[in-house]
Amino acid sequence: MVRHLFLIRRPDHPSMEYTNPELPEGINTSKQNPLKEFAILTLGMVGVLFISLTLLILLVDYFADKIPFDWERSLPVTRFLDSKNSEKLPLYLEQVSQQVIQSLDLPESMTISVHYVNSDTVNAFATLGGHIVLYRGLLEKLGYEDELSMVIAHEVAHIKYRHPILSASHGVVTGLVLSFIGLSSGDGVVSDLLGSVGMATMIKYSRDYEYQADSDAVESLIRIYGHADGAMGLFNIFDSAKGDIGTVEFLSTHPLTKNRITQVGTMIEGRNILNKNDMIPLPQAFKDGLKQP
Amino acid sequence: MIDLIIFLILLALGYGFGRLAESRHYTSIREREKELNVIPAIASRIPPHGRPDFDIHLVTGSVVISIDYFKRFIAGLRNLLGGRISAYETLLDRARREALLRMKAEARDLGAEMVFNIKLETASIHKGRGGSIGSVEVLAYGTAFIPHQTS
């Protein structure tokens, strides 16, 4: 409907006519469903970021591998650990560690320092410079020497494959890429999402490393004791300690315990190894020593 | 994990309520546009000639509309890739039409016959500051021509 409202006549203008038509809807807006745009943009960004980060990480891994172990050892992390953990390593721990380290065929230049921290934390980790840290909280939960060897062998295997320096370089690369993207997007939510993608890429490697370390640790156990029950024993302890309920593997740095058990199961399957139930209990003196404040 | 769940909930809330608010707003805009169509809003600076029996009066209408979380997220991704930020198109379309409607409503209340020389001003509020939802203000103003009430 077009209505002629009025005419304007001026001496210098022949005539001006004003009408007031109803404007058609949707000229200024897009008719596409926003969910479609959302799906394309999100999946596209996540995919591109994941692929490019993976490629970058592979590239960096190539160089990180070449960093001499001596150089890694001179990093400040050494001094930090020495000052923090003045606790003397119990003799028994020293002996078991030596036995495990020898069974793992480390390169000659690689030296391992085992630290013991008198704290309730249920954890053990390996870090730059060949340092392994064992917490009392975890050791207290162990019942057998086999399980202790499994813990140590797992951490030593991380060092053997240079996992700490690889992870550290992944962190640097991912952090750099994400900070650039974050700066250019200028939006907190988008940077958060992309940050999670970067995190997921990084911890995917972290999980691969866990499997790799598990596999070497199991080999080490078989070499020392003739069987790998210590691995299963340790995983059962993890299982009862926290369980995997409500955890999604792709969001965590460590594989689900049940997946680790499956992997170890496949490894020892078909291998001619000794029967169960001959694990060596931890000496009572060592266990008592742990409880001292 | 928790972060991801919160993020998805916020997205879903933003999408749901954003769409609801938008479709309601559009319905109301269309109704009022029909109603106020009798008052022409003309961008021309040249007033009608030969009809001096008008009072003139400044009329304004302003509105502030916020983007929802879902649209803001899409717009954030668009910032990286470029292209039409369609998420903002409806926001601005609604804001412009609403501002004009409010201006016309004021003109109608004054008994105006038409509004001349209309202008639109746009101002963004929270300019991309991290963590804040973007909103926009549109101000419409013009010169209302009110016939003399004497007769």
Side-chain angles (χ1 to χ4, degrees):
Chain A
M1 179 193 69
V2 176
R3 216 148 51 91
H4 293 259
L5 286 154
F6 47 87
L7 288 171
I8 296 168
R9 287 183 210 287
R10 287 165 59 133
D12 48 338
H13 285 75
S15 82
M16 286 180 86
E17 194 172 299
Y18 292 90
T19 58
N20 208 15
E22 242 177 73
L23 294 175
E25 231 7 90
I27 332 169
N28 296 321
T29 55
S30 159
K31 280 190 190 61
Q32 195 190 45
N33 189 325
L35 280 180
K36 191 181 162 199
E37 192 185 4
F38 169 78
I40 293 172
L41 284 179
T42 313
L43 294 179
M45 277 308 293
V46 167
V48 166
L49 187 65
F50 187 81
I51 291 168
S52 45
L53 273 182
T54 306
L55 290 176
L56 258 180
I57 283 176
L58 286 176
L59 182 75
V60 164
D61 274 1
Y62 178 78
F63 293 107
D65 235 6
K66 311 276 181 296
I67 296 172
F69 189 76
D70 290 343
W71 183 81
E72 200 186 307
R73 251 195 114 70
S74 64
L75 287 173
V77 68
T78 318
R79 265 169 282 148
F80 172 74
L81 280 173
D82 284 344
S83 65
K84 194 149 197 260
N85 314 303
S86 45
E87 199 86 24
K88 208 182 161 315
L89 194 67
L91 186 64
Y92 174 72
L93 265 185
E94 178 88 53
Q95 287 166 354
V96 176
S97 308
Q98 280 313 317
Q99 178 181 305
V100 169
I101 291 167
Q102 272 159 25
S103 76
L104 271 164
D105 289 333
L106 297 180
E108 246 173 65
S109 62
M110 216 173 249
T111 42
I112 307 282
S113 323
V114 184
H115 303 265
Y116 166 66
V117 180
N118 195 348
S119 133
D120 287 331
T121 315
V122 184
N123 197 11
F125 67 88
T127 185
L128 294 168
H131 294 276
I132 286 172
V133 180
L134 305 169
Y135 286 92
R136 172 169 51 78
L138 177 64
L139 299 187
E140 273 174 355
K141 293 202 181 295
L142 306 178
Y144 296 94
E145 187 190 303
D146 301 60
E147 291 161 2
L148 176 61
S149 295
M150 179 67 190
V151 173
I152 298 172
H154 176 96
E155 302 306 338
V156 175
H158 276 317
I159 309 271
K160 180 180 167 187
Y161 293 111
R162 312 287 309 267
H163 291 163
I165 192 119
L166 293 174
S167 300
S169 16
H170 298 173
V172 171
V173 169
T174 312
L176 277 176
V177 170
L178 290 179
S179 67
F180 279 128
I181 298 180
L183 285 177
S184 48
S185 87
D187 186 292
V189 187
V190 174
S191 341
D192 283 356
L193 176 89
L194 298 180
S196 319
V197 176
M199 216 40 187
T201 321
M202 255 170 40
I203 61 185
K204 180 192 159 294
Y205 284 89
S206 166
R207 285 193 307 271
D208 291 348
Y209 294 162
E210 294 305 319
Y211 283 125
Q212 198 179 15
D214 274 351
S215 129
D216 257 45
V218 167
E219 292 299 337
S220 157
L221 282 189
I222 294 174
R223 231 166 278 152
I224 301 171
Y225 304 105
H227 61 84
D229 291 351
M232 294 303 186
L234 184 66
F235 292 150
N236 287 335
I237 291 170
F238 288 161
D239 226 8
S240 53
K242 57 175 181 193
D244 293 330
I245 307 141
T247 322
V248 185
E249 182 166 277
F250 89 96
L251 289 172
S252 65
T253 55
H254 281 60
L256 297 184
T257 306
K258 68 172 187 335
N259 295 349
R260 294 173 78 175
I261 293 176
T262 316
Q263 190 210 310
V264 171
T266 342
M267 272 185 72
I268 49 184
E269 206 177 316
R271 299 265 292 262
N272 193 15
I273 49 181
L274 292 175
N275 273 331
K276 298 188 179 241
N277 302 326
D278 53 359
M279 295 208 285
I280 305 162
L282 286 173
Q284 197 54 46
F286 171 69
K287 286 173 104 172
D288 292 343
L290 285 179
K291 291 197 181 80
Q292 311 269 305
Chain B
M1 187 69 185
I2 291 290
D3 286 354
L4 193 72
I5 292 171
I6 293 175
F7 168 69
L8 290 174
I9 290 175
L10 284 176
L11 270 188
L13 281 178
Y15 181 73
F17 283 101
R19 289 223 111 185
L20 189 70
E22 187 173 300
S23 67
R24 277 186 182 166
H25 192 197
Y26 266 126
T27 314
S28 132
I29 284 176
R30 282 185 205 117
E31 277 171 14
R32 285 180 294 150
E33 273 179 350
K34 277 206 184 92
E35 207 180 296
L36 288 165
N37 205 26
V38 290
I39 303 173
I42 298 151
S44 166
R45 284 193 299 119
I46 307 163
H49 195 68
R51 292 184 65 184
D53 49 343
F54 280 119
D55 282 340
I56 54 170
H57 203 285
L58 173 74
V59 282
T60 60
S62 106
V63 64
V64 178
I65 301 186
S66 169
I67 196 96
D68 60 64
Y69 192 87
F70 176 80
K71 289 189 165 178
R72 175 172 161 246
F73 177 74
I74 291 187
L77 285 176
R78 268 284 173 232
N79 269 350
L80 288 171
L81 303 173
R84 271 176 81 172
I85 305 186
S86 53
Y88 282 149
E89 285 171 353
T90 50
L91 178 83
L92 283 162
D93 186 50
R94 280 158 64 199
R96 280 190 300 262
R97 290 164 79 171
E98 179 68 39
L100 280 172
L101 282 171
R102 290 183 180 182
M103 182 198 73
K104 280 184 169 189
E106 194 193 333
R108 180 192 55 194
D109 293 348
L110 289 168
E113 198 170 87
M114 60 200 157
V115 185
F116 251 75
N117 197 12
I118 54 158
K119 298 260 162 50
L120 290 166
E121 301 276 347
T122 310
S124 74
I125 302 173
H126 292 310
K127 280 199 180 84
R129 227 186 292 156
S132 67
I133 297 277
S135 23
V136 67
E137 188 213 11
V138 172
L139 166 72
Y141 60 96
T143 310
F145 280 66
I146 307 158
H148 280 306
Q149 308 287 318
T150 45
S151 61

